[in-house]
Every structure is written in C-alpha cells, then in structure tokens.
Amino acid sequence: MSILVKDLTALLSSEQVSTNETVLHQHGQDESYHEVAEPEVVVFPKNTEEVSAILRYANEHRIPVTPYGRGSSLEAHVIPYSGGMTIDFSLMNRILEIRPEDLLVVVEPGVSRLELNEALAKHGLFFSVDPGADATLGGMVATNASGTTTVRYGVMRDQVRDLEVVLADGTIMNTGSLAAKSASGYHLNGLFAGSEGTLGCFTKLTLRVYGIPEHVMAARATFNTIEEAVQAVTTVLQVGIPIARVELVDEESIRQVNRHDDMDFEEKPTLFLEFHGNEAGLKQDVEFTTELMNDAGCQSIQFETETAARNHLWEARHNLAYSYIHSNPGKKMMVTDVCVPISELSGAIHHAREQLEAVGLVGGILGHVGDGNFHALVMVDMDDEKEVELSNRFNESIVHYALSKNGTCTGEHGVGIGKQKYQEAEHGEAYNAMKLIKQALDPNNILNPGKIVKVD
Ligand SMILES: Cc1cc2nc3c(=O)[nH]c(=O)nc-3n(C[C@H](O)[C@H](O)[C@H](O)COP(=O)(O)OP(=O)(O)OC[C@H]3O[C@@H](n4cnc5c(N)ncnc54)[C@H](O)[C@@H]3O)c2cc1C
C-alpha cells in the first residue's frame, strides 16, 4: 500500500478509498475519444469536512486532485493526466432542502438531475437544465452545462444562487446567498460555475427551480434544407414566442435514428420543439409558430400534447448521440460544440456540413439552435491515424470558423483538455486574467491541473 493510500485511509475509512482496477479504470476515462489515464487512487468523501481534510492533505503534499461527478463530460475534464487522486462525489448525494416558496433547492453535488426532478415533482416543481446525460448537479455546475431547455430557462450558471466550495487549501466558503439578487461583491457564483474542478470542490449547491408548466406541447417540423429550419427558428425567436425547447437534427441523423431505433421519421432536416404555458397562451403560440414555420418553408408539422406521445417524439433527439455510439462499435465519438451569434448560425452549419462531407466520416449535425449552439458529431476509429487526423482537422476548422464570427469554441461541453488550445485565441488578454485567478486560488496547481488554463 502506498503512503498516499495509507494516509487517505487514515483520514477517511478503508471503504472510502479505492485502488480497485475497475474503479481506477472507470475514473480514467470520460464518454469521448480522449486517451485514458488512471488516477493512483479514488476517494469517496461523505461530507464537506472530509473534502476539506482531503484537500488540505493534497495541498500540503502537492498531490493532483480531480473532482468527479458521473464522468459524462466530453473533453477529458475528469481524466487525471497528472495522476494523483480522484474525488468521486457519489456518496454526497442527498437532497438537503426543498424551498417551494423561494423556488430553491439545496443539494449535495452527487445528486443527479433526474433524481432531483423525481423529488421535485411531488412539490409541482422541476429543475430546468437538461444536458441529455443523467449528469450530477455538481458536474453540471462545474461545466456550466446547458441543453434543450436553455433557450427558455438559461444555462447552469443562471440557476446557481449559492455554492459551498472547498478551496485547494481546505478552506470552506460560500459564493452567494439565498437572495434573488445581489450587488454585493464580486460574482463568485459566476466564476465557480464553469470552473471544471480547477478552482475548488463544490460540496453544497443552492439552485433555482421552477413550477411545472400547466400545459406542455411538443412538435416536430420538417424542412427541405437546414437553412430554412434555422431561418424559421430565428423568426420565432425574433417575434418573442417563449419557446421552451428547439432542437435541430439533420437529415443524416434522422436516418441514423430510423435505422438504429426503429423509427420512421421523415428523413429531412427536422426541428423538435416544445412549448410551455397555460392552455390559452399555448394555443396562440402554437398557431403563430405554425404560421411562421410555414412561411419559412416548413414541409410538415406535427403536434403532441399527450405525455407518452410527446416523450416518443423527443426520444429520437435524446437518444441520438448514443444511437451513433452503439451503431459504431469500436469507434469513439468526437463532438464539436461551437456557439455563434444567431445571425451567423446558418452559415456556420452550412460550413460544418461542407467540412463533414469533405472528410467523409460517419456523423451528423444537431443542436440547440435557439441559442446558436450546435454539434457536429463524428465517429472516429482511434487506431486509424488518418481518421484521427481528419477528425481533428474537421474539429479545428469548425472552431476557427466560430471564432472568426466572434463565437466561442464551446457553448456547453466546456474546455477540459480538448478545447484548451483555443483558449488564448478566444480570450486574448483575458486568458492571462484567468491564469492569475487560478494561481491565486490554487497556488500549488493541485486542482484538476492542466484543464482550462495552463499554469507553470
Ligand atoms: C450523450 C451525451 C450528451 C451530452 N449532452 C450535453 C448537453 O446537451 N449539454 C451539456 O452541457 N453537456 C452535455 N454532455 C456533457 C456532460 O453530460 C456534461 O458536461 C455534464 O455537466 C457533466 O456532468 P458529470 O456529473 O458527468 O460530471 P463529470 O464528467 O464527472 O465532471 C465534469 C467536470 O466537473 C468537475 N466536477 C465534478 N464534480 C465536481 C464538484 N463537486 N466540484 C467541483 N468540480 C466538480 C470535474 O472535475 C470535471 O471537470 C453530454 C454528454 C453525453 C455523454
């Protein structure tokens, strides 16, 4: 037993410290194409004090620490390339308080979004951010996750009211309060949300929740071209229809879903939409949307109000990434995540499609078009040098296009290692400010080292 494992066992208990092969392997990978690298040990704290003791110890001994939620991130965020220990938050999974009057909930970081939504439903409430995977709320705050409902309810950062954070030296602090607004001090909620485990470990999260809408209506609209579909979304947003979700899936991806999930969707660029509201308001929104969609060249539009039918309609969109993964055994998923101003979205998708055809890899385009965020997804054989090189070139070309339009290299997946090389180009002088923040809060560079910013 190494000294590290012995010391950690003394700090915690033997069942909370693992060097089991399978556990190390699980914590050495994410759900993407990035190379596997295992930690030396994985620890499972049960409370804030234990996290504080672990970090104090790691800081004293300069041991790299990688926080871990569910490992569903896509840019090697959780892969511990510097070795050391991984802190797995799965035992800190209690919902501590539901405050319906304040529309707030207090949770530990290991609670997953589906677990939270199950508990909230009894109070007529729901948590809005839906990144597809059943990620933990700690991981979602740390990546500033967003998803299908962001066009209406905002990103993860918008939901954070307060975080209990353990800093690199073991200090425990809070970043906010329960107040709905505040002009007091620097915006630490905003800083820590999206910090990807590089500035501190979250041990308690106070998050906004919403009342379950009285009525929900889902729709699927097909178009002859992606450009027409994007134009339709732009018009709907411009007139201020409070659409709750609007997702684009390209023709190739619809074909993929039909093949893999035994569906029979029309194989055309398709918008999946959802509307939330009261019955009367919804009726008006739906009528107006239909009119605007038809003006933009919509070929067919189908509405569903029944829960089962709505779920069926959305299933295709939700299962898409996994459908590509399961249909391409042995290959890994590389997914771009740029976000551009809405006015540039159509051009950016057109460019991505041209590039995808040029490299000739299996893949498709889908995205949260209401936010200007889309994914080009390719399946790559990591043992085939040519495919790896083509997919890297493809990824870079899409990012450079987005940056040239004043967009961002990542709308929601985050930086990790995969988008690290674009940070300087995207942020310029602000990249140095980020490095200064990292050095001030983690002077020994123990927290998820090498991710987001590179410091010496
Ligand atoms: C099929 C699929 C679809 C996806 N779709 C989306 C999408 O639509 N939108 C989106 O935003 N993402 C999406 N993702 C990516 C992923 O689900 C999100 O990034 C998610 O937020 C990661 O949560 P997690 O619990 O798995 O965190 P992990 O992957 O375990 O960790 C992510 C980051 O958070 C840090 N972290 C974890 N817990 C803590 C903590 N307690 N304190 C401090 N730091 C911590 C880790 O160090 C790491 O840097 C998708 C992934 C898959 C596989």
Side-chain angles (χ1 to χ4, degrees):
M1 191 190 283
S2 70
I3 296 176
L4 172 61
V5 175
K6 218 184 277 171
D7 287 350
L8 288 170
T9 309
L11 277 181
L12 305 167
S13 65
S14 55
E15 346 42 283
Q16 290 173 267
V17 180
S18 179
T19 52
N20 173 287
E21 265 303 296
T22 315
V23 173
L24 295 185
H25 190 65
Q26 182 208 341
H27 291 83
Q29 58 188 317
D30 63 7
E31 300 233 15
S32 75
Y33 64 99
H34 291 285
E35 210 178 311
V36 174
E38 294 177 3
E40 200 179 319
V41 55
V42 182
V43 290
F44 298 84
K46 290 185 177 160
N47 55 49
T48 306
E49 289 66 36
E50 288 185 350
V51 176
S52 171
I54 294 166
L55 286 183
R56 213 175 311 117
Y57 170 85
N59 198 40
E60 254 170 52
H61 297 272
R62 311 286 192 265
I63 294 161
V65 174
T66 307
Y68 185 99
R70 194 147 283 180
S72 73
S73 45
L74 296 167
E75 295 293 1
H77 298 69
V78 291
I79 305 182
Y81 291 114
S82 308
M85 73 172 98
T86 288
I87 304 186
D88 183 316
F89 284 95
S90 56
L91 297 185
M92 293 180 67
N93 63 349
R94 289 176 305 158
I95 295 170
L96 299 172
E97 205 183 348
I98 295 175
R99 302 172 65 104
E101 302 83 17
D102 295 319
L103 292 172
L104 291 176
V105 66
V106 186
V107 296
E108 290 186 323
V111 175
S112 83
R113 68 174 181 93
L114 290 181
E115 284 161 2
L116 178 59
N117 268 327
E118 205 180 312
L120 288 175
K122 294 172 206 138
H123 301 265
L125 299 170
F126 79 105
F127 181 72
S128 63
V129 182
D130 170 7
D134 187 23
T136 65
L137 293 158
M140 287 169 64
V141 173
T143 53
N144 189 26
S146 53
T148 53
T149 56
T150 292
V151 65
R152 169 82 178 262
Y153 299 97
V155 300
M156 209 55 204
R157 191 171 271 141
D158 301 317
Q159 319 308 328
V160 174
R161 193 60 68 79
D162 182 34
L163 298 173
E164 180 182 80
V165 180
V166 182
L167 297 178
D169 65 0
T171 304
I172 302 167
M173 66 166 209
N174 283 72
T175 56
S177 69
L178 295 190
K181 61 181 209 179
S182 168
S184 174
Y186 294 136
H187 194 338
L188 295 184
N189 286 340
L191 173 66
F192 278 87
S195 61
E196 299 183 4
T198 64
L199 299 180
C201 286
F202 314 145
T203 45
K204 226 177 263 173
L205 326 167
T206 305
L207 304 170
R208 285 180 72 181
V209 294
Y210 300 83
I212 293 174
E214 193 187 326
H215 281 273
V216 176
M217 171 93 80
R220 186 163 48 80
T222 59
F223 294 80
N224 280 331
T225 65
I226 283 191
E227 287 76 11
E228 284 174 352
V230 172
Q231 187 50 49
V233 174
T234 311
T235 317
V236 169
L237 291 175
Q238 271 170 350
V239 300
I241 296 173
I243 209 155
R245 301 182 200 235
V246 53
E247 297 287 301
L248 171 72
V249 178
D250 77 346
E251 197 172 332
E252 182 48 42
S253 303
I254 293 285
R255 210 168 288 131
Q256 167 67 30
V257 166
N258 281 347
R259 262 195 316 257
H260 183 263
D261 298 344
D262 208 17
M263 302 282 201
D264 59 351
F265 292 128
E266 201 180 347
E267 293 177 356
K268 281 181 181 296
T270 303
L271 289 177
F272 292 81
L273 302 117
E274 195 167 281
F275 304 83
H276 296 175
N278 61 37
E279 201 169 359
L282 214 60
K283 190 165 173 284
Q284 266 184 352
D285 288 346
V286 163
E287 277 169 11
F288 198 12
T289 302
T290 308
E291 203 180 306
L292 295 172
M293 293 273 161
N294 287 335
D295 288 349
C298 177
Q299 297 295 299
S300 67
I301 186 160
Q302 179 200 342
F303 289 94
E304 297 289 1
T305 45
E306 293 305 316
T307 309
R310 268 195 347 251
N311 290 345
H312 178 69
L313 196 146
W314 271 95
E315 224 173 84
R317 167 62 189 95
H318 267 132
N319 293 343
L320 195 49
Y322 286 113
S323 147
Y324 271 112
I325 292 170
H326 296 149
S327 302
N328 292 278
K331 295 201 175 202
K332 296 277 190 178
M333 180 171 72
M334 181 187 278
V335 55
T336 72
D337 178 40
V338 296
C339 188
V340 294
I342 295 276
S343 58
E344 299 288 351
L345 183 60
S346 186
I349 292 182
H350 184 72
H351 168 263
R353 210 148 60 121
E354 273 180 357
Q355 297 296 312
L356 189 57
E357 275 160 26
V359 292
L361 294 172
V362 176
I365 292 174
L366 54 141
H368 315 300
V369 284
D371 316 314
N373 180 206
F374 72 95
H375 309 301
L377 187 156
V378 287
M379 299 308 299
V380 190
D381 177 352
M382 296 308 286
D383 295 326
D384 181 334
E385 266 176 43
K386 180 117 183 71
E387 262 194 27
V388 173
E389 201 230 309
L390 281 176
S391 52
N392 280 331
R393 222 186 311 144
F394 171 67
N395 201 337
E396 283 192 7
S397 132
I398 287 178
V399 170
H400 286 135
Y401 185 95
L403 295 186
S404 77
K405 303 296 177 196
N406 226 340
T408 174
C409 67
T410 172
E412 58 184 20
H413 295 164
V415 178
I417 290 288
K419 296 293 184 293
Q420 231 252 346
K421 55 179 179 270
Y422 307 116
Q423 291 305 291
E424 202 158 2
E426 180 171 334
H427 299 293
E429 202 45 54
Y431 180 63
N432 289 327
M434 291 185 205
K435 282 194 198 174
L436 291 174
I437 291 170
K438 167 72 175 169
Q439 283 160 336
L441 289 176
D442 180 16
N444 296 321
N445 193 21
I446 60 158
L447 281 169
N448 213 356
K451 313 293 166 59
I452 304 189
V453 291
K454 268 206 175 111
V455 289
D456 303 324

